[in-house]
Amino acid sequence: MIEQVTDGYVKVEREHGIATIEFFHPQSNSLPGKLLSTLAKDIHSEGLNPETHVIILRSAGEKVFCAGASFDELAAISNEEEGYHFFSGFAQVINAMRKVPQFIIARIQGKCIGGGVGLAAAADYAIAVEGADIKLSELAVGIGPFVVGPAVERKLGLSAFSQLTIDATNWRSADWARRKGLFSELHTDIAAVDDAIGRLSTTLSHSSPAAMQEIKKVLWNGTEHWDELLQERAAISGRLILSDHSKRFIQKFKAPKPSQAG
């Protein structure tokens, strides 16, 4: 099944108890609201499918796993309600990932920015390739990683999360992310990543669904309040994105780059 959304898509394929959910957007796999909504819906649907024993979350392309929020949509936000609605899309995806009974394996084939770091953190097991560097750029935009913050802090710890949040323009290497616990495995090339994902997903597809569900409950214990928490965080981002600082940053980001004389 492929659902086309705003020049991108979300695709779901199922085979031998393994559901692969792939998303794509031509702007570095950034996530506009409709794509977020579709992604959350498809993750939730696979969680209800008794034939699905494990979920693989991946994006298309090579260089960027996910660039986070769509700057086109950020630029179009004109009031707090619209801002809340947009950022609540990230809340819906993260909550869907934590609540499905299946383990989610994330295939991190490229860089993670902002909300992309949140998706990697919300996965139960992330397998990445060298060069999949990470950055929480939200403060530079004039907001903060409020919605994805609980997932990132849960996986990396408060100290590493604060480093990413405060130094918002600095990339951290994929090895840094592995050492801090964001990535479960780090491989030298994408073929090795896919081999590792194939091995683990096949093993899990033959494991006890009831046992995996109980394990996931234990691993996510203490996050039961996230339905409310992430919506509250979405409201904060939705308010801050209206600031003059944010508007100037977005306009500068979207401005055409001057061509260089040859």
Side-chain angles (χ1 to χ4, degrees):
M1 177 186 71
I2 299 179
E3 186 162 349
Q4 298 287 343
V5 183
T6 59
D7 298 322
Y9 66 77
V10 177
K11 176 172 65 174
V12 183
E13 296 180 344
R14 305 174 190 86
E15 186 176 15
H16 306 308
I18 302 169
T20 300
I21 302 177
E22 178 181 283
F23 64 92
F24 168 75
H25 192 274
Q27 295 178 343
S28 300
N29 286 325
S30 60
L31 292 169
K34 289 183 179 180
L35 208 62
L36 286 166
S37 177
T38 302
L39 193 56
K41 180 187 68 176
D42 287 344
I43 292 169
H44 175 73
S45 295
E46 290 310 310
L48 298 176
N49 186 349
E51 300 300 317
T52 296
H53 294 171
V54 61
I55 297 171
I56 297 171
L57 178 65
R58 56 176 287 163
S59 63
E62 298 178 357
K63 295 183 178 180
V64 180
F65 169 70
C66 176
S70 164
F71 272 75
D72 286 341
E73 292 207 5
L74 292 181
I77 293 172
S78 61
N79 57 61
E80 289 190 24
E81 183 178 355
E82 291 177 356
Y84 166 76
H85 180 73
F86 174 75
F87 287 104
S88 67
F90 283 96
Q92 292 168 7
V93 173
I94 290 174
N95 278 322
M97 292 176 71
R98 74 173 178 87
K99 289 195 285 187
V100 292
Q102 301 91 342
F103 291 136
I104 297 178
I105 303 170
R107 177 186 183 268
I108 312 297
Q109 90 290 6
K111 296 181 184 298
C112 303
I113 307 165
V117 180
L119 294 184
D124 299 291
Y125 201 97
I127 300 178
V129 68
E130 290 182 0
D133 300 343
I134 67 171
K135 177 170 64 173
L136 286 180
S137 57
E138 285 87 345
L139 181 58
V141 182
I143 52 176
F146 296 108
V147 176
V148 302
V152 179
E153 182 182 346
R154 167 185 171 270
K155 188 63 69 75
L156 281 75
L158 179 59
S159 177
F161 169 58
S162 67
Q163 293 170 37
L164 287 170
T165 300
I166 294 170
D167 193 358
T169 61
N170 187 36
W171 290 95
R172 263 41 178 215
S173 70
D175 184 64
W176 185 93
R178 180 194 60 79
R179 288 185 282 109
K180 298 300 182 182
L182 179 65
F183 299 151
S184 306
E185 299 180 24
L186 186 63
H187 296 277
T188 56
D189 55 57
I190 199 63
V193 168
D194 288 335
D195 285 345
I197 291 175
R199 175 196 61 79
L200 180 59
S201 60
T202 298
T203 298
L204 293 176
S205 71
H206 292 93
S207 299
S208 165
M212 290 188 288
Q213 180 175 357
E214 293 300 326
I215 292 171
K216 181 151 183 175
K217 287 180 182 178
V218 170
L219 295 178
W220 285 89
N221 182 47
T223 65
E224 295 79 9
H225 63 298
W226 280 20
D227 281 332
E228 295 77 22
L229 175 64
L230 300 193
Q231 296 297 331
E232 293 171 0
R233 297 288 187 85
I236 298 173
S237 291
R239 181 179 73 251
L240 290 174
I241 198 64
L242 298 173
S243 70
D244 290 339
H245 181 104
S246 291
K247 290 186 180 299
R248 287 194 301 269
F249 182 93
I250 293 169
Q251 288 173 356
K252 182 178 179 181
F253 181 87
K254 289 176 59 62
K257 304 297 186 292
S259 59
Q260 296 181 343

